Amino acid sequence: MFYLSTRDSSLKMNSMDVIKQGISREGGLFVPERIPRLTRSDMKEMEAMDYRQRAFKVLSLFLTDYSESDLQSIVEAAYRSDNFETPEIAPIIGLDNDLFVQELWHGPTYAFKDMALQILPHLMTTAALRTGDDKEIVILVATSGDTGKAALEGFRDVNGTRIIVFYPHGGVSPIQKLQMVTQEGSNVHVAALEGNFDDTQTGVKTIFTDRDFIDSLEKQGKRFSSANSINWGRLVPQIVYYVSAYIDLVKNKALKDGEEFNVVVPTGNFGNILAAYYAKNMGIPIGKLICASNSNNVLTDFINTGIYDSRRDFYRTISPSMDILISSNLERLLFELCDREHQQIEKWMGNLKESGKYVLDDQSLIKLQANLWGGFASEEETLKAIRETYHDYNYVMDPHTAVGKWVYDEYRKETKDTRKTMLVSTASPFKFPEDVLRAILGQQDIKDQDEFQVLETLASLSKMEIPIGLKDLKDKPILHHIKCSRNEMAYAVNKLLGLEG
Ligand SMILES: *Cc1c(COP(=O)(O)O)cnc(C)c1O
């Protein structure tokens, strides 16, 4: 299987190089030359498999240049039982007969990013080893909150790698921030950036495509790579849990064999929902992909009108990992919608860069709407969804998942589509305890509690245990203090890598 770029369809690279490199030289994203299919008998066979075996099956269809034995050990190492709290890895909870929640937050940092970031370092270092590449891999990450911590955990002390994470100062939750600035490991760096997530992401992308910077790094025996969801090595492990969910739902008789179901995905950078799109195109009978946004509802408008317009107010919300106005992975979907015309992608992305906006042609819009439905939840609606879900089902959701729940209800009301639905739950409620408690108890009840008291309160209310890695934060020293502006990012990277002057 070869990979091409969304901005250069003549490119032909194998998956090891694609994963090592992260983003294509001309700025496009890597995509597989075709999407492999799972047959009905493949799916039947997978019923008897555990999550690791299913992951192996899906990965081996996309990553054909990795040897079977390498992929086996990679999957084993990533989804170890001491890394994930539950043997199912991605358990599914039925709220009622129609709505299922797939919990993707049982990994070491309690958000769904672990599903991919526990495996990406193994994919990358194996690729480097097998291609005889002895350059040190420097991972640059822009995070809206959860990717940073998950990437730090995934890459910490991994030989031959270094990781630098930039997060928007004031743009992440207190727990998310603490998780990052207390990160231990001999090869990890964390810096706050004055700006929002889009500034952070744009800054990192600029460094990635700066030829001079890349050359000077190579002279020092280093090369950049990306752990953001623009890296194909992040996306392909995410396809696994959609495949696995369908297999589980059929196995448990919640779905009939071949029965279509919808998925709801709380969306920011469009990586998670894109993985669902790929699963659908592999043959998993997914009906609508319901794209749930918060007040930064650029995607809702886009799906409804075909106009992507990022020139709008940016809001800091209680679902910070979705506070994004430029959804990078959308480019991969657009590539499929316009029949893989890379000139068309260059035009749209050029317009986005120059004027903050682009407009789909009618043909592509029809295809977009055939696959996706978009909705959003305001801050009040998000809180209401947390409260109502708690009262109706005795189930506690984090604010990102709650955005999805709100949009699911809207979708059912508006379309009368009664197909069964799976909502992906992207974070543990313990990552956002103040907002979750504010939703359920009201502001008054928690106003005098600090970060750690609210964890205790949430534990007794939800009858769940505080995740150990969050409880421990209280006693961890702060190890990372750097703060910089957009203009200082390249300088900061140089300095952290010891390449000054
Ligand atoms: C990253 C993240 C999202 C958004 O996922 P995308 O792949 O960027 O669309 C949603 N919820 C949580 C908790 C996240 O960490």
Side-chain angles (χ1 to χ4, degrees):
M1 166 94 67
F2 285 106
Y3 287 77
L4 35 131
S5 159
T6 50
R7 300 191 203 176
D8 180 3
S9 342
S10 67
L11 200 80
K12 251 184 157 194
M13 279 172 66
N14 64 34
S15 70
M16 288 197 192
D17 289 326
V18 157
I19 288 173
K20 277 196 315 187
Q21 198 175 311
I23 186 167
S24 189
R25 301 249 187 263
E26 75 306 315
L29 305 186
F30 295 119
V31 285
E33 59 179 344
R34 63 187 168 75
I35 300 173
R37 300 280 299 184
L38 284 168
T39 62
R40 289 295 272 277
S41 75
D42 287 333
M43 295 183 209
K44 203 82 232 150
E45 258 172 48
M46 288 171 89
E47 282 186 24
M49 297 181 182
D50 66 13
Y51 192 87
R52 277 175 283 270
Q53 294 166 315
R54 290 173 187 173
F56 172 78
K57 173 80 191 175
V58 173
L59 262 50
S60 63
L61 295 174
F62 283 101
L63 311 179
T64 49
D65 49 321
Y66 284 78
S67 74
E68 280 203 7
S69 65
D70 276 347
L71 270 190
Q72 289 284 10
S73 22
I74 288 171
V75 165
E76 294 292 329
Y79 302 113
R80 291 194 317 270
S81 57
D82 55 337
N83 265 352
F84 284 81
E85 298 167 333
T86 73
E88 299 112 298
I89 310 292
I92 297 178
I93 316 287
L95 290 192
D96 57 28
N97 287 334
D98 293 329
L99 180 60
F100 300 86
V101 177
Q102 186 178 36
E103 295 179 343
L104 300 176
W105 41 262
H106 292 283
T109 74
Y110 319 110
F112 87 93
K113 305 295 197 293
D114 290 325
M115 301 300 296
L117 281 163
Q118 280 299 307
I119 194 167
L120 181 67
H122 299 287
L123 290 170
M124 238 181 225
T125 50
T126 302
L129 184 71
R130 297 297 178 225
T131 55
D133 186 341
D134 55 8
K135 289 197 189 64
E136 185 178 48
I137 301 171
V138 178
I139 305 291
L140 275 193
V141 178
T143 184
S144 58
D146 292 322
T147 298
K149 178 61 185 181
L152 289 163
E153 267 311 307
F155 281 95
R156 73 184 278 185
D157 297 325
V158 172
N159 276 338
T161 72
R162 285 253 227 146
I163 171 163
I164 303 174
V165 170
F166 288 97
Y167 69 91
H169 181 70
V172 301
S173 85
I175 295 270
Q176 286 176 321
K177 178 177 172 182
L178 266 182
Q179 278 187 298
M180 289 189 276
V181 295
T182 57
Q183 178 68 43
E184 293 159 11
S186 56
N187 61 339
V188 302
H189 308 281
V190 178
L193 187 89
E194 290 155 13
N196 62 31
F197 173 71
D198 290 316
D199 300 322
T200 315
Q201 174 157 266
T202 308
V204 164
K205 267 197 191 164
T206 306
I207 298 179
F208 272 135
T209 45
D210 180 339
R211 232 10 290 174
D212 294 340
F213 205 153
I214 295 171
D215 290 343
S216 81
L217 214 62
E218 294 211 346
K219 287 206 193 82
Q220 315 267 350
K222 299 181 199 302
R223 63 140 87 215
F224 280 132
S225 192
S226 165
N228 278 99
S229 58
I230 51 175
N231 192 318
W232 179 251
R234 269 278 303 270
L235 268 175
V236 70
Q238 294 185 215
I239 301 172
V240 175
Y241 49 77
Y242 289 102
V243 172
S244 182
Y246 170 68
I247 309 279
D248 279 340
L249 290 169
V250 170
K251 189 176 169 181
N252 301 333
K253 308 231 177 331
L255 287 177
K256 294 193 213 55
D257 202 5
E259 182 180 344
E260 277 196 1
F261 67 112
N262 298 328
V263 299
V264 184
V265 188
T267 303
N269 223 359
F270 210 77
N272 200 356
I273 194 165
L274 184 73
Y277 173 84
Y278 283 119
K280 175 173 170 154
N281 283 280
M282 290 182 79
I284 299 297
I286 294 174
K288 275 284 182 212
L289 302 163
I290 300 165
C291 177
S293 302
N294 62 25
S295 312
N296 296 294
N297 57 358
V298 60
L299 287 168
T300 314
D301 290 345
F302 177 61
I303 294 166
N304 288 329
T305 64
I307 302 170
Y308 194 98
D309 192 348
S310 66
R311 302 165 308 174
R312 55 178 73 212
D313 290 338
F314 175 89
Y315 300 104
R316 287 206 163 136
T317 72
I318 56 172
S319 46
S321 302
M322 294 156 64
D323 290 348
I324 295 177
L325 292 178
I326 299 173
S327 297
S328 295
N329 267 300
L330 193 55
E331 180 167 341
R332 287 186 163 111
L333 179 72
L334 296 175
F335 189 64
E336 304 299 333
L337 295 181
C338 71
D339 294 322
R340 305 192 146 204
E341 288 281 348
H342 72 236
Q343 293 89 345
Q344 181 63 70
I345 298 294
E346 277 167 52
K347 215 184 282 162
W348 283 331
M349 293 303 124
N351 289 346
L352 181 64
K353 195 164 178 188
E354 274 144 39
S355 65
K357 176 180 164 180
Y358 59 89
V359 182
L360 283 193
D361 58 280
D362 291 345
Q363 205 56 26
S364 304
L365 178 59
I366 289 169
K367 284 199 231 164
L368 177 73
Q369 293 177 340
N371 283 289
L372 278 97
W373 194 88
F376 75 100
S378 69
E379 296 292 90
E380 271 315 307
E381 290 164 345
T382 307
L383 292 170
K384 196 158 172 237
I386 295 174
R387 183 164 57 245
E388 289 177 353
T389 307
Y390 176 70
H391 287 300
D392 296 348
Y393 303 107
N394 205 15
Y395 184 79
V396 180
M397 277 176 173
D398 95 287
H400 302 77
T401 311
V403 167
K405 173 67 167 61
W406 180 268
V407 172
Y408 163 75
D409 288 332
E410 296 269 288
Y411 174 78
R412 295 262 295 200
K413 252 185 276 164
E414 253 184 58
T415 64
K416 313 272 188 288
D417 180 353
T418 55
R419 281 176 286 190
K420 293 187 177 165
T421 302
M422 191 184 78
L423 163 62
V424 289
S425 175
T426 50
S428 158
F430 285 97
K431 279 195 104 159
F432 309 93
E434 291 92 351
D435 293 317
V436 171
L437 286 176
R438 185 153 64 90
I440 296 174
L441 297 174
Q443 187 68 52
Q444 276 309 314
D445 286 43
I446 55 159
K447 72 175 193 309
D448 299 322
Q449 301 187 6
D450 70 17
E451 276 109 299
F452 298 99
Q453 287 164 324
V454 291
L455 286 176
E456 301 286 349
T457 310
L458 183 57
S460 62
L461 181 123
S462 66
K463 308 201 173 51
M464 295 194 282
E465 278 179 38
I466 304 175
I468 186 78
L470 299 183
K471 201 171 183 167
D472 284 358
L473 283 176
K474 198 173 180 171
D475 309 313
K476 290 217 163 133
I478 297 193
L479 303 172
H480 306 275
H481 301 276
I482 298 172
K483 186 167 157 203
C484 66
S485 69
R486 251 301 293 281
N487 300 333
E488 295 163 337
M489 278 175 89
Y491 174 76
V493 170
N494 262 321
K495 196 165 166 167
L496 290 169
L497 294 176
L499 303 177
E500 247 173 313

